[in-house]
Each structure stands twice: as C-alpha cells, then as structure tokens.
Amino acid sequence: TRYFVDHRKVRVIGGQGGGGGHSFYSEPRKEFGGPDGGNGGDGGHVIFKADRQIKSLASILPFYQGFHGERGGSKNCYGANGAYMYVKVPVGTLVKEDGKIVADFTRHGEEYVAAYGGAGGKGNRFFLSNENRAPTFFTPGEPGQERVLHLELKTTAHAGLVGFPNAGKSSLLRAISNAKPAVAAYPFTTLNPHVGIVHYEDYEQVAVADIPGLIRGAHQNRGLGMTFLRHIERCRFLLYVVDLSESQPWIQLQDLKYELEQYKKGLSKIPCVVIGNKIDLAQSRINLPLLKEQVGDRVIALSALTGDNLEELLLHLRELYDSYVRREQSQEKSPVKW
C-alpha cells in the first residue's frame, strides 16, 4: 500500500571542500619555479526545491550527503566545486529545525539551502610571500554543514473531507476518486491521510484530502490531536461529512466547526458544503429534513456505500472548484493544479 506520507526527519550534510594542492613547479632549465599548488573546490550544497509534481514526502530519504569538492592540482589548477544536490519536496512543505520554521514552500520552484558545502582548502601557492618563497604549508577542505531537519507537509488539496470517525469519509473518498483508503464493516478510524483525485471529462482534476483523527477536543491535542489538523489550513473548500443515522446530526456539524475554529480562527469560514452520509438507512431519511432546518449551508444527502446521489456531490464539487479558480485569477494568482 502506498501511503500519503506527511512527516519526515532528515539528516543533511553539505559536501566537504577539497584539500589544497601541494606542489612545486619544475621543468628543464627552471628547476625552482616556486609553489604552484592550487586551491581545493568548495563542497556542494544540499538544496530543497518545491516541485508541484511531488505530492507526498514518501520519496524523501532519511539522509542526504552533498558532493565533495575536488583537491587542488599542480600548475595553480583549482579543484572543481562539488555539484549541488537538489531534493524535490511537495509544495506545502514546512521545514523545521529545533521546533522553529526555517522554510515554508508555498510555490513551485522555491528553493532553500538545507546544508551549505564546506569551503575548499588553500594550496601552498596561496601562502607565497616575500618572507616565505617556498611555502610547504597547505590546508584541508572544511567539512560541510550538518543539520537535522523535520519536514511537515500541509496538504495543498482543493477540498478537505472533515468529519468524526466512522462518518464514512474513507468510503466516500473511495467512491468519488482513485484513492483506496481502508474501509471495513466494523468501526475504526483512519490513521494515515489520503488524497484522491476526482477526474472530470474536460481533464480538470480536483484533489480531495481525507483528514483523519478529528474528535471532540482535537484542538487540545486529544486523540490524534493536531497531527492532521494542519492539512485543513490550505484546503480551498471543505466537505463536512456527518452521519445522518445518528440522533441530532447537526450537533456533529457544530462540534466540527468549533474544533476548526479553536485550532485556527477563521478556518470554519472557508467555503463548504455539508454531506449527509448513509441516506440508505431508515433513520437517516427521518433526520435529513431536521438537519436542513438546523443548517444554513447547502446539504447534500448521499450514500457512499450504495452510490446514491453521488452525481450531485460531483457537480457541486466542480462548482466550488471553478469558483476557487475564478477567485484566484481575479487576484492575479495562479490556482493550484494537480
């Protein structure tokens, strides 16, 4: 199973600088040409680069070492610098060191030097002076910078599925997209985030993220706590999934919005739609008109299990996406594409 990985601990070391050269120029009729050892090349940097084609941190390795610089040669030849090592990360990645954010990739192509390469050493030619006409001294290259960084991914999906455990978010994501989160006939909660892509006939793609682990008190770090709440921050619109078969399903919606608002002010004001799941059950058909009376947002009743009324959700999802694209273009911004 390919999981959507949203957290990585990475150790990065810049390339070591090449040592300085140690030689003396000598040829027929010019035996004492003097020192001609060149300087060593600088070590290569390790650079994180945001790439919109990368969607998860699954491809990030736990260790990266930059390329070393070459040693200085004779005849005043400098050693070549070590090549830069580029590590591609998804757009939306946060880079933290000792709990502090040192980089935030919000756009394609942004770069951050994770570890600088060491400076190259000096050859004996560098130490030539009037006082010392034949220096034998040279310096080794400096080691590269070493750091331990934590990468966290805030999903830049278009839509976020928000709901309490067993509301049917995973089943709904399986029904409308190509994602395959685990579902079963008994109650359990998803422990890994999943992102599914909804394909439309005009080749537009809408990314929908399943935000797991949300329970009452999640903003106080209860349960899985804020582990996955950060994914909701960058969603352009939200799909609140409530279980219609439970008594007073509108209470679920109030609690969900309260948790989001406590985590970050204004988060519950993001454009949204309420999805009443499990309409195939008898109790759900009784609760549906009561939910519509209590809720001001649009309510779409469906069954992720049987596929009832999924068409209405897909059409409204496209309307929300088109509104987001027009809003971004009116502000001269480029909308996120998958």
Side-chain angles (χ1 to χ4, degrees):
T1 303
R2 293 179 61 192
Y3 289 115
F4 176 83
V5 179
D6 64 340
H7 187 275
R8 273 282 192 261
K9 180 180 178 181
V10 184
R11 179 167 164 252
V12 288
I13 303 178
Q16 180 163 345
H22 173 259
S23 66
F24 287 88
Y25 186 69
S26 178
E27 66 176 16
R29 295 183 299 278
K30 197 172 184 181
E31 297 179 13
F32 304 104
D36 67 348
N39 297 339
D42 296 334
H45 306 328
V46 179
I47 301 175
F48 291 155
K49 185 172 184 177
D51 191 326
R52 67 166 68 96
Q53 300 299 323
I54 308 297
K55 304 302 181 185
S56 167
L57 296 176
S59 60
I60 304 298
L61 302 176
F63 175 72
Y64 289 97
Q65 167 79 64
F67 296 103
H68 301 317
E70 293 186 2
R71 186 178 184 84
S74 59
K75 299 183 181 177
N76 296 322
C77 289
Y78 282 32
N81 293 334
Y84 293 167
M85 174 178 286
Y86 286 93
V87 180
K88 293 181 178 180
V89 298
V91 175
T93 301
L94 288 176
V95 183
K96 293 184 176 181
E97 185 177 28
D98 298 328
K100 295 181 180 179
I101 298 175
V102 294
D104 185 359
F105 296 101
T106 57
R107 293 184 180 178
H108 174 75
E110 288 183 335
E111 296 181 4
Y112 173 72
V113 180
Y116 286 94
K122 303 299 183 183
N124 63 336
R125 169 75 183 185
F126 178 83
F127 298 100
L128 177 65
S129 65
N130 290 331
E131 291 75 23
N132 187 0
R133 305 304 298 174
T136 58
F137 183 71
F138 62 97
T139 60
E142 295 182 4
Q145 183 183 19
E146 181 173 354
R147 303 170 75 184
V148 176
L149 303 173
H150 294 265
L151 305 186
E152 293 182 4
L153 177 58
K154 289 185 178 180
T155 311
T156 55
H158 301 115
L161 282 174
V162 184
F164 290 123
N166 304 309
K169 300 190 303 298
S170 297
S171 299
L172 182 59
L173 191 63
R174 288 177 71 103
I176 65 175
S177 75
N178 57 357
K180 301 299 177 187
V183 296
Y186 51 86
F188 74 99
T189 187
T190 304
L191 296 178
N192 296 289
H194 293 268
V195 177
I197 308 299
V198 181
H199 297 272
Y200 289 91
E201 290 183 356
D202 59 353
Y203 302 106
E204 283 287 3
Q205 298 182 145
V206 178
V208 181
D210 177 10
I211 315 296
L214 196 60
I215 64 171
R216 292 174 177 87
H219 71 278
Q220 298 172 334
N221 229 12
R222 288 182 59 192
L224 292 176
M226 294 179 285
T227 307
F228 301 120
L229 273 172
R230 65 175 179 273
H231 291 299
I232 303 175
E233 289 185 53
R234 291 181 176 170
C235 290
R236 274 54 185 185
F237 38 90
L238 299 178
L239 309 178
Y240 291 102
V241 184
V242 297
D243 186 350
L244 279 177
S245 65
E246 292 190 6
S247 61
Q248 297 183 317
W250 53 89
I251 301 295
Q252 299 175 48
L253 182 63
Q254 294 172 5
D255 290 341
L256 288 170
K257 289 191 173 184
Y258 175 78
E259 291 299 325
L260 297 190
E261 198 65 24
Q262 292 300 308
Y263 173 70
K264 185 178 180 182
K265 205 141 188 78
L267 208 54
S268 63
K269 304 297 190 295
I270 296 175
C272 68
V273 63
V274 179
I275 299 171
N277 195 18
K278 306 182 183 180
I279 193 61
D280 52 309
L281 302 178
Q283 185 62 41
S284 299
R285 288 190 284 273
I286 298 173
N287 288 336
L288 178 59
L290 301 176
L291 175 64
K292 289 183 176 180
E293 288 179 9
Q294 297 285 337
V295 174
D297 301 312
R298 178 173 177 174
V299 178
I300 299 177
L302 53 80
S303 172
L305 180 64
T306 64
D308 292 347
N309 211 27
L310 284 180
E311 185 79 15
E312 183 181 354
L313 172 61
L314 293 173
L315 290 173
H316 188 62
L317 187 63
R318 181 58 190 269
E319 291 174 9
L320 290 170
Y321 173 76
D322 290 339
S323 298
Y324 155 69
V325 171
R326 287 194 297 270
R327 188 166 59 249
E328 291 292 293
Q329 291 175 344
S330 66
Q331 298 173 3
E332 298 184 353
K333 298 179 182 178
S334 55
V336 173
K337 296 284 186 178
W338 277 67

